[in-house]
Amino acid sequence: MIKSSVIPLVWVIVLTSWILLIGGNSMARVIPPIASGKYFQEVKTEIKLPVQSEKNVLKLFRYQNVLIAASSNGVFRYLNGEWSGDAFGQNWRTATLDPKGVVWLASEKFILGERAVSGFNLPDNCLKDTILSLMWEDEKTLYVGTSNGLLIYNGTWTTLAAAEGKRVNSILEDKHGDLWVATNQGLLRRMDGKWLNMDDLLMANSWKRSYFSLENDPGKSEVLFGGNYAVGAIADDGNHWILRGADGLPFGPATTIRSFGGVLWLGTGHGAIRKDSTWHYYNDKRWLPDNKVNDILPVDQHTVWIATPEGISEIREVEMTLSQKAAAFEERIKLRHDRYGLVNSSFLRIPGDLSTNQKVNEDNDGLWTSLYLATECFRYAVTKDPEARKNAIKTYEAMERLETATGIPGFPARSFVAAGDSITKSHSPFPREWHLSADGKWKWLGDTSSDEIVGHMFAYPLFYELVAEGELKVRVKSLVQRIMDHIVDHNFLLIDLDGKPTKWGIWTPDSLNYATFRWYERGLNSLQILSFLQTAVYVTGDQKFKKAYNDLVEKHHYAQNVAEVKMYGPYENSHSDDILAFLPYYNLFRYTKEDKWFPYYLQGLQKCWQIAAPDRIPAWNVFASTALKNDCNLWIAISGLRNIPMDMVEWTMENSHRWDLQKDQLIDRSGQVQATIPIPAPEGSIPGWNRNPRQLNSGSNGKYENDGTYFLLPYWMGRFYGYFTE
């Protein structure tokens, strides 16, 4: 650690060269805008089955223009949004469609056509067998796969000797009239009337003679099949292929295979998979009512139905723009996430049921609300939409109340509730106390942290510049003055109602520079206070804050501290610290002009960005691009914004079982197993500012809905700076 107040010449030379190399403030490159345009957003809808149908949908078919669902208690047809059909029988286990469009259902040992008065049982010599699969070869010949072989019915029963003793999972007729049978003892094929076991002739030993599903590719002359650890194709032209975990296959075995329009769909016991130009994985309740996939039916190029024991999910690609997505996210906030102007997640009394949402307090309401305030400031600057201005003013006034409710000038609360409201207990292991405001109208939460001040000081100058006019400007200026007076006058500490510093509101040199337990905060909190002071100089014009800034950099080497703001490598990585770094960096770079200490700030930010970049978090791409005035992978930000799911319920999402994700040998700071790369947003937990995007298993069983500011802020900030266009 350099403790001199004079920057060594070698530092100046090296870091100045670095500025010129990456296109720093004085030599900024022009960042060409990215036209986001229209794209396809995946949206899941639960298909409501008729009341007479059980949830367990076994098979899905299409006959002419009618969609057909065979459930465990009947057959139901869907046309123009309406269901028809009646329940009959029970405990059906599988089904097939005959050439005339009639559905045949099978229980363990009995088969019945949906329009038949009577059906037929397995022959007496197969009464110990269980029916697993069915296929009509023609109007008279039905193949029945069982747990112990393959039977043929055309008025009388015969048994296929080649399949005797084998578990028959799937049966297929290819384009040449050849039959294929997937068994647990080989892949059988009928060619020119002769049955062959392909595993005795050609199949690789790695398949271990075990197959689960078969499918014709309608666009090619090839048969698709699913094995234990891969899916593959046997092609007429010899261009056979296989796909496994190393190729991107998320999981298996694929018990269902469907090919449609060049897209491959796979169903497994733990989710569904789509393969187009890349891989997509759908599991858990964000996408499916049950992880066990019974069947898949591609309805059209952009729509698929997935049948499970708990019903049908429709996943549809809906054409939209990012601005349309933003409008939907804004509507969500208005409906379920605005609590007295504070914006945060909402609690769902019934997991996943949005109609049971309850707006509750959280420990960092000030921080999360500030992000929404910044969002609306950028949005108003771009669109001049009166609603955005109205939202910004309402949100600012809620944040202002965080400070006025405490009765302590310059000391904002973590959160507040109306005096008569119930309080949601803090999850923090540290004690938090609620207090009544002097007017008796509010209860406020103390022990305010640096997180809150980071949020306040990030958002207020944006509101001051982009939205506030007249008396509002005066109020913002006065509020910033009070907050920074409080911090500076108390030796860079936040002093709570009890007259003692809060646990995390510490920016004083005595602690940051000399207390060993503050090592991890040294660079981070040095960055914060320098940014706060420069922001306060800009908003208030009070040179008292400039003097405090100079004292910290010249006497207490805070600028050098900032060069080490992100400690990572042998030390743990905190994603919460990314928020606490990028937000103050934004203002520090805006308001620190021609500062001799700037090379240190640049070094620290560059390090932060290099560490954060692999996480592919859109906000940090935008923040880094703005501060460094260089394109910091903004195409990743666009891709990330598109990928954020529309469903923002905090479902539990499991990915630790996947084949395609390499597990990191090092656990994360919360002791959880993580992947070596980020989990794609649709496949992991709801992405968040302070969350590890590589955590394999995460979520809260649908107990909360996220407000979606994670999407809105980088989108509107990117629009404001001209990085994204519609």
Side-chain angles (χ1 to χ4, degrees):
M1 181 69 69
I2 301 171
K3 296 188 178 181
S4 169
S5 62
V6 179
I7 302 178
L9 180 61
V10 66
W11 275 94
V12 175
I13 295 173
V14 170
L15 292 174
T16 301
S17 300
W18 197 356
I19 295 173
L20 297 177
L21 177 64
I22 67 168
N25 281 8
S26 59
M27 298 290 289
R29 300 176 185 176
V30 175
I31 301 176
I34 299 174
S36 60
K38 294 182 178 180
Y39 72 102
F40 286 105
Q41 175 73 51
E42 289 182 317
V43 177
K44 186 266 289 192
T45 304
E46 180 181 346
I47 298 297
K48 292 186 177 180
L49 293 165
V51 293
Q52 62 269 35
S53 173
E54 292 181 350
K55 291 182 178 180
N56 187 16
V57 177
L58 309 169
K59 293 289 182 180
L60 296 168
F61 308 105
R62 185 183 201 129
Y63 187 74
Q64 296 176 349
N65 291 324
V66 180
L67 306 183
I68 306 170
S71 76
S72 55
N73 76 329
V75 176
F76 306 93
R77 283 171 162 76
Y78 186 83
L79 180 64
N80 298 326
E82 299 290 336
W83 286 102
S84 62
D86 295 308
F88 63 92
Q90 58 184 349
N91 298 322
W92 301 120
R93 297 170 61 92
T94 190
T96 191
L97 193 69
D98 73 14
K100 294 182 178 180
V102 177
V103 176
W104 293 75
L105 294 138
S107 61
E108 286 190 1
K109 306 178 192 309
F110 179 71
I111 301 170
L112 178 68
E114 63 176 312
R115 298 170 189 166
V117 176
S118 61
F120 44 90
N121 288 297
L122 292 181
D124 292 343
N125 62 335
C126 297
L127 292 182
K128 293 184 179 180
D129 293 4
T130 297
I131 298 173
L132 302 176
S133 54
L134 303 169
M135 190 206 76
W136 285 94
E137 183 177 19
D138 52 44
E139 294 182 9
K140 297 181 178 180
T141 307
L142 174 66
Y143 284 83
V144 181
T146 77
S147 55
N148 199 41
L150 182 65
L151 307 176
I152 306 166
Y153 182 81
N154 54 10
T156 60
W157 289 103
T158 56
T159 303
L160 181 67
E164 185 176 352
K166 298 176 175 62
R167 181 182 179 88
V168 175
N169 296 312
S170 184
I171 312 162
L172 175 77
E173 182 179 17
D174 70 15
K175 296 176 181 179
H176 307 293
D178 290 352
L179 288 187
W180 297 73
V181 180
T183 83
N184 66 339
Q185 296 180 45
L187 183 61
L188 309 184
R189 181 179 184 182
R190 187 189 69 185
M191 298 180 65
D192 300 324
K194 182 179 180 180
W195 283 94
L196 305 171
N197 191 324
M198 300 292 286
D199 283 74
D200 294 336
L201 303 171
L202 295 169
M203 302 303 288
N205 290 334
S206 57
W207 294 104
K208 297 186 178 181
R209 307 178 70 88
S210 190
Y211 305 91
F212 298 87
S213 52
L214 294 164
E215 168 74 333
N216 280 314
D217 188 326
K220 301 177 182 178
S221 188
E222 58 185 30
V223 171
L224 312 177
F225 60 92
N228 276 311
Y229 301 107
V231 294
I234 295 174
D236 283 357
D237 61 7
N239 289 318
H240 318 305
W241 53 262
I242 64 168
L243 296 170
R244 63 215 159 185
D247 303 304
L249 177 65
F251 192 63
T255 53
T256 300
I257 302 179
R258 298 289 179 262
S259 181
F260 184 87
V263 176
L264 185 66
W265 281 96
L266 308 173
T268 77
H270 206 311
I273 298 162
R274 175 164 63 99
K275 173 69 172 70
D276 42 36
S277 59
T278 185
W279 293 92
H280 312 264
Y281 185 49
Y282 309 87
N283 76 322
D284 294 313
K285 292 194 175 179
R286 178 178 300 150
W287 299 111
L288 304 174
D290 189 283
N291 276 337
K292 183 180 182 296
V293 175
N294 289 336
D295 201 8
I296 298 175
L297 177 66
V299 177
D300 56 43
Q301 193 67 38
H302 299 292
T303 311
V304 67
W305 280 17
I306 302 176
T308 79
E310 290 296 320
I312 301 172
S313 273
E314 177 185 86
I315 299 176
R316 181 188 296 271
E317 291 181 321
V318 178
E319 189 176 60
M320 66 170 54
T321 64
L322 288 178
S323 63
Q324 291 171 328
K325 187 173 185 176
F329 276 47
E330 288 281 359
E331 184 66 17
R332 175 191 291 114
I333 288 174
K334 181 168 65 176
L335 290 175
R336 296 186 292 276
H337 298 274
D338 181 345
R339 186 180 65 82
Y340 304 119
L342 299 176
V343 173
N344 207 336
S345 297
S346 63
F347 175 73
L348 303 178
R349 291 185 293 275
I350 299 176
D353 186 345
L354 299 179
S355 68
T356 68
N357 82 291
Q358 180 179 347
K359 302 169 186 177
V360 296
N361 59 275
E362 291 193 19
D363 283 2
N364 286 322
D365 277 338
L367 172 60
W368 306 130
T369 302
S370 73
L371 299 175
Y372 182 66
L373 174 57
T375 294
E376 295 305 280
C377 292
F378 286 128
R379 178 185 166 206
Y380 178 67
V382 171
T383 66
K384 298 304 178 185
D385 185 344
E387 182 187 30
R389 186 171 191 274
K390 179 181 176 182
N391 291 345
I393 293 172
K394 180 180 181 181
T395 307
Y396 166 75
E397 290 178 339
M399 292 183 63
E400 190 179 48
R401 184 174 292 119
L402 286 167
E403 188 254 357
T404 58
T406 69
I408 305 171
F411 183 80
R414 283 179 172 269
S415 182
F416 66 77
V417 300
D421 289 351
S422 60
I423 294 172
T424 300
K425 186 178 179 181
S426 171
H427 297 295
S428 172
F430 306 109
R432 301 273 159 77
E433 294 183 354
W434 286 86
H435 311 280
L436 189 65
S437 64
D439 59 10
K441 294 181 179 180
W442 308 98
K443 288 181 286 189
W444 58 273
L445 181 61
D447 193 35
T448 304
S449 74
S450 58
D451 303 44
E452 314 310 312
I453 307 303
V454 163
H456 285 262
M457 296 303 292
F458 165 66
Y460 289 153
L462 291 172
F463 183 72
Y464 183 80
E465 293 177 7
L466 303 178
V467 177
E469 297 174 353
E471 183 261 343
L472 268 177
K473 266 193 179 324
V474 175
R475 283 165 58 183
V476 179
K477 181 177 179 180
S478 177
L479 179 54
V480 170
Q481 182 82 44
R482 293 196 302 273
I483 290 174
M484 292 311 298
D485 278 345
H486 178 98
I487 293 173
V488 173
D489 293 348
H490 289 100
N491 193 27
F492 306 105
L493 298 169
L494 272 183
I495 303 300
D496 210 333
L497 188 64
D498 59 5
K500 298 178 181 179
T502 66
K503 182 171 182 60
W504 304 110
I506 307 293
W507 300 278
T508 183
D510 290 346
S511 292
L512 296 189
N513 284 341
Y514 303 106
T516 55
F517 64 90
R518 297 284 181 187
W519 277 356
Y520 207 86
E521 301 169 27
R522 179 178 297 167
L524 193 65
N525 287 28
S526 295
L527 162 66
Q528 291 167 11
I529 191 62
L530 296 183
S531 177
F532 300 164
L533 291 167
Q534 292 288 59
T535 300
V537 173
Y538 169 78
V539 174
T540 70
D542 192 336
Q543 294 304 302
K544 162 187 175 179
F545 303 127
K546 185 64 174 179
K547 180 180 183 303
Y549 170 88
N550 289 335
D551 285 346
L552 291 178
V553 294
E554 293 174 0
K555 297 179 181 178
H556 302 286
H557 54 83
Y558 268 38
Q560 291 94 321
N561 290 352
V562 173
E564 299 181 18
V565 70
K566 187 74 171 176
M567 299 175 70
Y568 182 55
Y571 308 121
E572 69 177 12
N573 186 29
S574 167
H575 290 83
S576 294
D577 289 351
D578 292 337
I579 307 174
L580 305 184
F582 279 105
L583 267 60
Y585 263 128
Y586 174 74
N587 279 348
L588 185 64
F589 271 54
R590 291 174 74 205
Y591 303 131
T592 304
K593 306 293 185 182
E594 306 299 331
D595 192 310
K596 67 179 180 179
W597 308 103
F598 185 80
Y600 290 111
Y601 308 151
L602 180 63
Q603 181 187 359
L605 176 57
Q606 188 69 15
K607 184 190 296 183
C608 275
W609 169 236
Q610 289 171 344
I611 294 168
D615 287 335
R616 302 172 73 94
I617 294 175
W620 306 150
N621 296 86
V622 174
F623 272 76
S625 296
T626 302
L628 296 174
K629 302 193 184 304
N630 194 23
D631 186 340
C632 295
N633 301 333
L634 288 167
W635 64 272
I636 289 180
I638 283 284
S639 176
L641 292 173
R642 289 175 171 174
N643 281 335
I644 291 171
M646 298 298 290
D647 178 3
M648 299 297 284
V649 173
E650 301 267 9
W651 297 112
T652 293
M653 305 294 286
E654 297 182 356
N655 289 284
S656 56
H657 60 283
R658 288 174 62 167
W659 300 344
D660 59 326
L661 296 176
Q662 182 180 350
K663 292 182 180 178
D664 196 329
Q665 293 175 318
L666 301 177
I667 58 175
D668 70 9
R669 70 189 299 257
S670 61
Q672 301 299 310
V673 179
Q674 59 183 345
T676 57
I677 60 173
I679 311 296
E683 301 166 18
S685 67
I686 292 299
W689 309 87
N690 57 346
R691 299 178 185 176
N692 178 5
R694 297 187 290 129
Q695 194 174 95
L696 288 165
N697 299 333
S698 53
S700 62
N701 294 314
K703 294 179 181 178
Y704 295 90
E705 184 190 40
N706 190 278
D707 60 81
T709 305
Y710 180 90
F711 166 85
L712 289 169
L713 178 55
Y715 171 68
W716 286 114
M717 186 174 176
R719 288 285 305 277
F720 176 78
Y721 282 101
Y723 303 151
F724 314 142
T725 65
E726 288 291 337

